[in-house]
Every structure is written in structure tokens, then in C-alpha cells.
Amino acid sequence: MNTLTRRQSLGFLAAAAILPKQVFAAERVDLGTMQLVTLSDGNLTLPANLVFAPVADRDLLSVVAPLGIEDLTAPLTPPCNVTLIRDGARTILFDCGAGPAFQASAGRLLDALSAEGLSPDDVTDLVFTHAHPDHLWGVLDDFDEPMFLNATHWIGREERDYWTAPDTVDTIGADRTAFAVGAARRLSAIEGALETFEDGQEILPGIAAHLTQGHTPGHVSFEVANGGQTAMIIGDAIANDHIALARPDWPAGSDQDQEIGAQTRRRLVERLADEDIIAVGFHLSNGGVGRVERTADGFRFNPQV
């Protein structure tokens, strides 16, 4: 009798979990010879206070109500959009979702890949914006083994150094201790496949890294240029499409360094708007792909590419 390997068992379970009418690919954009697809990893469920607490003393409701948020105490359920780029022989993932160990509403990437006719073994490059659970923890499977066996894993040097430093777990703060422990363990597990890069480096043809600090100490966004078009994969540098855009200068509770995060966000939204760059956001709505446009007193996200 043949015995299923762990990876075969995992792939079988993931394929069996696909619901016939469920849609896992949220948005598609052609960039020259590249095709960019956002894949749903599900969503997070977050206390509103995590985002709104630093600006609770401001006229917050008047800003967010026109954007569909009328209860400032209701949990937030941001989508998780993992970006896939196909470019010839390369199949590139930007972040890999939450995996099975973070939140029950997330961790759906295997289903999304399967719906695209792909398995983890087809991924040639896995590129991380940062090492938070919903972006990194999917790098290990249900058996705590590396998921993307054939992929080169890429992470910014500053981000890698921060999460693997021995003192990070003691200095990050009690509410983020699990983040530090989880990141260090996963980065150690993939150490043999991990490559680091520097700010401004072209890590793959047509894909350049830009340090966008604040959300984490080494958070990176990626400029993708091909065929005369440009997209920016922004991770959590712009972590929502309500106050992060309407008031980019306001501090965000999800940023580890709120002051630097706001400065980074302002520079980024101005560039996206002024240069008409396609924005691809991990937690932006409608598949996370669109344009950033100026308004009378801030910016807004237009999901029309």
C-alpha cells in the first residue's frame, strides 16, 4: 500500500477544502510580460482600538464614516491580499499569508494557489515585505516544515536582523512578544533558503526594493516595472484604505514606530498619486489593486486600474 507523504497529504486536504463557488483570485493586472494577480489569504479580525486608539481624540468619525465605517468600536476585518507575479519561468510570491497558526479567518493561500493551478512547489521566489504573522507565518506547513521547497526566500537585511536579534523578544513589548518568537522561529527554519537584500536593490529583473520603515523596522515595498507600467507592492506601509489614506499623517496603532510610519506613509502616498503608480496593498479593499488619488484634504483609494 502506498503511503502519502506529509506534503501530499497537505496538498490533498487543501484541494479538498476548495468550495466550488469560492473566488480566491481577487484582481489581475498585466504589466508588460508580467501578470500580477492578488490571491486571497482570507481576512484578519482586529479590535478597532488597535488602529484607532492613537487618534481617538480627533474627529475620527467624520473621516471614516464616508468610507463605510460608522461604528468605531466594531472589529475590523481587513482582507489579506497575497501578490503573485508570473514572469516567464519565474513564479513569484510577495508574502505567504498567515498559515494555520494565526487566525482562523486567514491562512487560505493554499486554496488560492490551487485555484490558479499552482502548488507551493511551483513558486520560484518568495519575497517578504516584513515578518509579521499574516505575511510570514505561512512559510511553514501544518507539520512546521518549510512549505515552499523550491523557492529562494528573500527578505530585507534590516528586517531579518531585527527579528533574529536575541534581544528583540525582550524589547518589542508584551503585546508583540508572540510576533517576535514566531518570526525568529520561522526565519531560522528557512535559513538555508534565505537571501537578504539592501534598500534600492533590484532583487529580481524589474523588481526593486524600497525601504518603507515604521510598520516594522525593516519593512520594504517593491517597485515592479515592466512594459512601460509600474506597480508598487506596498505591504503594510499603507495598512488600510480609510484613515491611512484620508489622513496619512495621523499615527496608526498597527505601526511599531508610529512617527516614522506616518512619515513613510505620507511620502509613499504622494509618490503613488503624483506618479500614477498602481498600488498593490496587502490590506486594501477590492483585491488591493488600484490607484491613490488626491482629495481636497487627503487621499483616497480608487480600485479601478
Side-chain angles (χ1 to χ4, degrees), residues 249-268:
D249 297 317
W250 285 9
S254 58
D255 287 344
Q256 190 165 329
D257 189 315
Q258 295 178 15
E259 181 178 356
I260 293 177
Q263 294 170 0
T264 294
R265 193 160 46 251
R266 164 60 73 168
R267 290 193 300 269
L268 185 56

Side-chain angles (χ1 to χ4, degrees), residues 27-46:
E27 192 60 68
R28 299 177 188 273
V29 178
D30 288 327
L31 301 171
T33 61
M34 298 178 174
Q35 184 185 60
L36 183 152
V37 183
T38 54
L39 306 176
S40 176
D41 191 51
N43 67 273
L44 300 183
T45 303
L46 305 174

Side-chain angles (χ1 to χ4, degrees), residues 129-176:
T129 61
H130 64 297
H132 274 173
D134 50 328
H135 298 255
L136 171 70
W137 284 17
V139 79
L140 300 183
D141 64 21
D142 286 347
F143 304 95
D144 271 352
E145 296 176 350
M147 175 69 76
F148 301 90
L149 296 179
N150 298 323
T152 300
H153 296 54
W154 301 86
I155 192 168
R157 180 187 55 78
E158 292 185 45
E159 187 75 353
R160 190 277 313 269
D161 290 353
Y162 176 75
W163 293 104
T164 57
D167 63 342
T168 295
V169 69
D170 298 317
T171 58
I172 196 173
D175 58 338
R176 297 175 188 256

Side-chain angles (χ1 to χ4, degrees), residues 44-65:
L44 300 183
T45 303
L46 305 174
N49 197 49
L50 174 68
V51 176
F52 296 148
V55 293
D57 61 336
R58 310 188 191 197
D59 190 11
L60 179 58
L61 188 58
S62 68
V63 173
V64 299

Side-chain angles (χ1 to χ4, degrees), residues 95 126-131 153-164 187 194-201 203 209-212 216-222:
D95 298 326
L126 174 54
V127 184
F128 297 110
T129 61
H130 64 297
H153 296 54
W154 301 86
I155 192 168
R157 180 187 55 78
E158 292 185 45
E159 187 75 353
R160 190 277 313 269
D161 290 353
Y162 176 75
W163 293 104
T164 57
L187 291 173
L194 194 60
E195 298 284 345
T196 59
F197 55 82
E198 303 294 334
D199 181 27
Q201 181 177 334
I203 64 167
H210 296 289
L211 190 62
T212 46
T216 64
H219 186 287
V220 174
S221 298
F222 297 93

Side-chain angles (χ1 to χ4, degrees), residues 67-256:
L67 301 170
I69 298 176
E70 298 182 352
D71 182 354
L72 297 180
T73 64
L76 301 173
T77 56
C80 298
N81 306 304
V82 174
T83 301
L84 169 74
I85 287 181
R86 286 179 163 122
D87 184 22
R90 291 190 183 277
T91 300
I92 308 164
L93 272 185
F94 292 83
D95 298 326
C96 57
F102 187 49
Q103 290 192 359
S105 57
R108 312 293 174 81
L109 182 61
L110 286 182
D111 295 340
L113 283 171
S114 181
E116 288 291 301
L118 296 170
S119 77
D121 290 344
D122 295 317
V123 176
T124 60
D125 298 272
L126 174 54
V127 184
F128 297 110
T129 61
H130 64 297
H132 274 173
D134 50 328
H135 298 255
L136 171 70
W137 284 17
V139 79
L140 300 183
D141 64 21
D142 286 347
F143 304 95
D144 271 352
E145 296 176 350
M147 175 69 76
F148 301 90
L149 296 179
N150 298 323
T152 300
H153 296 54
W154 301 86
I155 192 168
R157 180 187 55 78
E158 292 185 45
E159 187 75 353
R160 190 277 313 269
D161 290 353
Y162 176 75
W163 293 104
T164 57
D167 63 342
T168 295
V169 69
D170 298 317
T171 58
I172 196 173
D175 58 338
R176 297 175 188 256
T177 298
F179 288 13
V181 173
R185 181 167 70 84
R186 286 164 176 83
L187 291 173
S188 176
I190 61 172
E191 184 177 10
L194 194 60
E195 298 284 345
T196 59
F197 55 82
E198 303 294 334
D199 181 27
Q201 181 177 334
E202 185 180 49
I203 64 167
L204 294 166
I207 300 174
H210 296 289
L211 190 62
T212 46
Q213 296 169 296
H215 186 69
T216 64
H219 186 287
V220 174
S221 298
F222 297 93
E223 183 174 354
V224 183
N226 192 278
Q229 290 188 289
T230 303
M232 188 77 75
I233 298 167
I234 58 180
D236 286 2
I238 302 171
N240 59 67
D241 50 16
H242 38 83
I243 60 172
L245 285 172
R247 299 292 185 271
D249 297 317
W250 285 9
S254 58
D255 287 344
Q256 190 165 329

